Each structure stands twice: as structure tokens, then as C-alpha cells.
Amino acid sequence: MDQDFINSLYVRQQACASCPSPDAVVNWFNELLGALFPDFSRQRFNSQREFELHFEKLKLQLEQILSRNPLKAEREATVIADAFFDNLPLTFQKLEQDVTALFEGDPAAKSRTEVIRTYPGFVAIAAHRVAHELDASGVQLIPRIISEYAHGKTGIDIHPAASIGNFFCIDHGTGVVIGETTVIGDHVKIYQGVTLGALSEDKKDAKTKRHPTIGDNVVIYAQATILGGNTHVGHDSVIGGNVWITRSVPAFSKVYYQAKMNTAEGESDMIVFKGQSA
């Protein structure tokens, strides 16, 4: 084997000798999820003090992961870890609301325990809530490792920077994609195959809002595709399955499909509504 090739790989190994492995990040997330929801816990605690020490261990592990992250945040690892665990009660409250949304939004759900233990939507949302909190603190790379772990486990791809409101429900979930600058309101429900994506893949647009905004109380059915940073879906709307939307939808709309319309300028898109029109 070429010696120069071996040498170059060795230099890379040495440069990242202390980098936290994806497995270490994933193990930390799973232990945190188990501490929040005993359905996922791999251990049982004999006393409250033992449980408190477990949280202290999780906090120390996060500090170590952050301090070894090759992409450093502006704030110290200890400060970020302190803030994350200080905000953990609010994160937990949001997750409890998400469980409520999943349970109430699916007639097949028999209990909250079933939702927590078996629903891929819950795992994906839980990973996002944790990853988003770290992303909002300026942490790079680690949130993506968490979100990609959930993506591989559930088939649901949510960028850590996406802003998602309360009582969020992903039903079934396989193939869902939620892009980086997406903004989702409260009480939103989406089904499998939904894409909330960008119209542009140009690198120069990386710092612009490229993904849609979804208002409160919106339902988006399977395989719907909504694209563009200037695309807003108004509150209390229903987006039907398989539609392709690249322009805004008013509040209280029902979008059934997108058809082609012949105009003097040529062929263009026409969104078919029930209720308010575009």
C-alpha cells in the first residue's frame, strides 16, 4: 500500500485523536432520553440521590463531548452544559406536549406509553428537541450527529436548526424531511413523506431563509411537498396528499392538488383550493 497515503491518514487520526465519536454522542442522547422517560432507561435507580448523580454524570459527559468537539462553540463547554440542563424542564414539558399530540392525533394509539415506546415520530421529535437546544447554543456538529442518528433510526430527517412549536405530531413518519430554516407553529400534524424544503440549493443562499413557514393548527397529508423560504401556509389550513406547493396558502384553506393552467403567457401552476382562495 502507498506509504504517503498511510501517512496522510495517520496525520488525520492524530489530529482527531480526542474527537468524540458519533457512538459517544448517541449513547449520551439515549441515556438522557432514558432519564427523562423510564420506558427507554437501561437501568433502575435505588434512591433519588443515585438518580441525581446520574444527571450529574450526564452533564459531565456533555461537557466532555463539547470540549472535545473539533468545531468549537463561542461559549465554554461548561456554560453550554449548565444552560442545557437548566432548560431541561422546559424541553421535557415540550416533549410531554408532543406525546399528547401524538396520542390524541392517532386513533390507533391505545396509551401514552405505547406512543413513547413504539412511535418513531416521538423518537424523532425527542432527538430534535435536544439537538435544537444545543444548536441554538451555538454548538456545531453534535446536534447533527443526534439528528442523523434519529434519521437512521426512524426515517425522519429534521434539521436541528428548524424551529418547531408546541404539540407537534408526526404520524407514521417515514420519509419526512424538515429543512434547516423551516418554521412550524403550534398544534401542527404531518404525515409520512412530507417535505418542507428549499427551492434553491445554491451555496450562496445558505444564510437566507430557504424553507417554508407553517402556521398553527395545520395538517399536512402524506407526500405533500412545500418549498421555499417565502412560502407561508396560513393557520388552520389542510394540505392534501401529494400536492406540490411553492407559493403561499391563506389561512383556513384546504388544498387538494396542484394542476396546470394555460394562460396567455403559457402554462403555469394553479393551486386548487376549497374555502379561501389564493
Side-chain angles (χ1 to χ4, degrees):
M1 186 176 290
D2 183 83
Q3 190 60 44
D4 288 341
F5 175 64
I6 294 294
N7 292 343
S8 66
L9 290 182
Y10 178 72
V11 169
R12 289 190 178 192
Q13 290 285 337
Q14 294 302 106
C16 201
S18 65
C19 293
S21 69
D23 284 345
V25 176
V26 168
N27 288 338
W28 174 81
F29 167 71
N30 282 326
E31 285 205 24
L32 176 67
L33 192 59
L36 296 175
F37 295 92
D39 307 83
F40 291 97
S41 183
R42 299 175 181 177
Q43 64 184 103
R44 291 295 177 261
F45 303 95
N46 295 318
S47 68
Q48 182 169 326
R49 181 55 183 158
E50 184 182 356
F51 188 56
E52 291 171 356
L53 289 172
H54 182 64
F55 269 99
E56 291 182 17
K57 183 191 78 170
L58 289 171
K59 184 176 177 181
L60 179 59
Q61 287 176 342
L62 179 58
E63 288 181 24
Q64 292 171 339
I65 288 170
L66 295 175
S67 64
R68 293 160 53 196
N69 188 4
L71 300 178
K72 301 297 184 185
E74 293 183 2
R75 294 189 293 168
E76 293 293 327
T78 301
V79 175
I80 295 173
D82 284 343
F84 177 87
F85 279 90
D86 285 345
N87 290 333
L88 196 57
L90 179 58
T91 303
F92 178 73
Q93 179 184 347
K94 289 180 178 180
L95 286 173
E96 287 279 80
Q97 292 171 342
D98 297 328
V99 173
T100 297
L102 286 159
F103 175 64
E104 295 181 351
D106 183 4
K110 300 299 187 291
S111 67
R112 293 174 66 90
T113 297
E114 180 185 3
V115 168
I116 293 168
R117 282 179 173 257
T118 69
Y119 277 44
F122 172 74
V123 174
I125 295 168
H128 175 73
R129 297 293 187 197
V130 172
H132 183 75
E133 187 72 27
L134 293 171
D135 182 83
S137 296
V139 177
Q140 300 182 61
L141 188 59
I142 304 303
R144 287 306 300 267
I145 292 174
I146 295 171
S147 66
E148 286 306 314
Y149 163 71
H151 182 195
K153 187 177 179 66
T154 67
I156 299 167
D157 184 1
I158 310 176
H159 194 283
S163 177
I164 298 178
N166 300 323
F167 294 95
F168 185 47
C169 175
I170 300 177
D171 200 353
H172 304 298
T174 305
V176 166
V177 177
I178 300 175
E180 178 182 15
T181 61
T182 302
V183 177
I184 297 175
D186 297 335
H187 297 279
V188 170
K189 181 179 183 180
I190 66 177
Y191 285 83
Q192 68 273 15
V194 167
T195 296
L196 305 179
L199 280 168
S200 170
E201 296 181 357
D202 197 316
K203 200 70 173 178
K204 67 180 176 59
D205 295 327
K207 295 187 181 300
T208 64
K209 189 179 187 312
R210 309 182 311 283
H211 305 89
T213 297
I214 310 299
D216 297 340
N217 305 306
V218 169
V219 179
I220 307 174
Y221 282 99
Q223 308 302 327
T225 298
I226 305 173
L227 305 178
N230 294 322
T231 303
H232 291 244
V233 175
H235 61 84
D236 296 279
S237 291
V238 176
I239 308 299
N242 295 297
V243 300
W244 179 280
I245 295 175
T246 58
R247 57 191 175 97
S248 293
V249 173
F252 298 104
S253 293
K254 292 183 179 179
V255 181
Y256 285 107
Y257 61 92
Q258 184 160 308
K260 292 294 183 182
M261 174 176 61
N262 291 318
T263 67
E265 291 76 25
E267 193 178 69
S268 66
D269 290 332
M270 174 181 66
I271 299 177
V272 179
F273 289 88
K274 179 179 179 182
Q276 290 199 14
S277 59

